[in-house]
Amino acid sequence: MFGEHRYRVRSVWTGDRGTGTSGYRDYDRAVSISVEGKPELLASADKPFRGDPARWNPEDMLVAALSECHLLSYLHACVQAGVVVLAYEDDASGLMREDGSGAGRFHEVVLRPRVTIADAAMRDAALAAHETAHGWCFIANSVNFPVRHEPVIEIVAG
């Protein structure tokens, strides 16, 4: 199943306070992001960049995209490996550093998936499925910084 896939997103700045971008402190960083047929996402800059901390920011969304992509790839890898996953949670984090010029970059993202599986005999395959999932993750394959994994495998108490 090879092919090209295009994704369309509409971003609309909604932060004009009446004077546009007349000064750095004169406008709100509010943005609405939409994809046809999906709920609108309210976004902003991160709080240190004068954004609204109650809204999603681009850095949050990048870490979330990596986390979800790995999760979905992992579930597929587990199906193929015969691993029955009963629960999956990830407490992912990303490290971004500013370089002093007004720019910056991510240096790494660490995924910390906690996976509950049905049988102790599946543990090794469940761990190995993380490497398979990492190789399959479209988002991880598209970034130029390390995406590390610190998985924990738990067995359902039976």
Side-chain angles (χ1 to χ4, degrees):
M1 180 169 73
F2 298 107
E4 288 186 351
H5 306 273
R6 296 194 184 272
Y7 299 90
R8 294 179 156 282
V9 173
R10 181 172 173 80
S11 298
V12 177
W13 174 54
T14 58
D16 182 6
R17 294 179 178 154
T19 61
T21 58
S22 57
Y24 184 72
R25 297 175 185 273
D26 297 338
Y27 64 97
D28 195 321
R29 276 58 175 178
V31 176
S32 97
I33 300 170
S34 58
V35 173
E36 189 174 326
K38 297 179 184 180
E40 184 176 64
L41 179 65
L42 299 180
S44 183
D46 195 10
K47 185 177 180 179
F49 308 109
R50 305 195 54 79
D52 181 346
R55 291 179 172 221
W56 285 84
N57 63 59
E59 297 82 11
D60 292 333
M61 289 188 277
L62 177 61
V63 174
L66 286 161
S67 177
E68 183 184 2
C69 187
H70 184 82
L71 182 159
L72 295 171
S73 298
Y74 180 78
L75 296 177
H76 180 69
C78 284
V79 167
Q80 288 196 333
V83 175
V84 178
V85 174
L86 302 173
Y88 183 115
E89 296 179 10
D90 182 15
D91 291 314
S93 63
L95 173 63
M96 185 193 73
R97 290 190 183 122
E98 294 178 70
D99 67 10
S101 72
R105 65 182 291 271
F106 269 81
H107 284 261
E108 74 171 0
V109 166
V110 180
L111 306 179
R112 293 178 185 86
R114 279 184 318 282
V115 180
T116 303
I117 59 173
D119 187 330
M122 300 174 182
R123 188 176 192 291
D124 289 344
L127 279 171
H130 283 289
E131 288 306 314
T132 302
H134 180 68
W136 287 346
C137 176
F138 302 135
I139 309 301
N141 287 322
S142 300
V143 297
N144 65 352
F145 53 83
V147 179
R148 296 189 302 109
H149 310 91
E150 297 176 357
V152 172
I153 305 295
E154 299 173 347
I155 315 306
V156 70

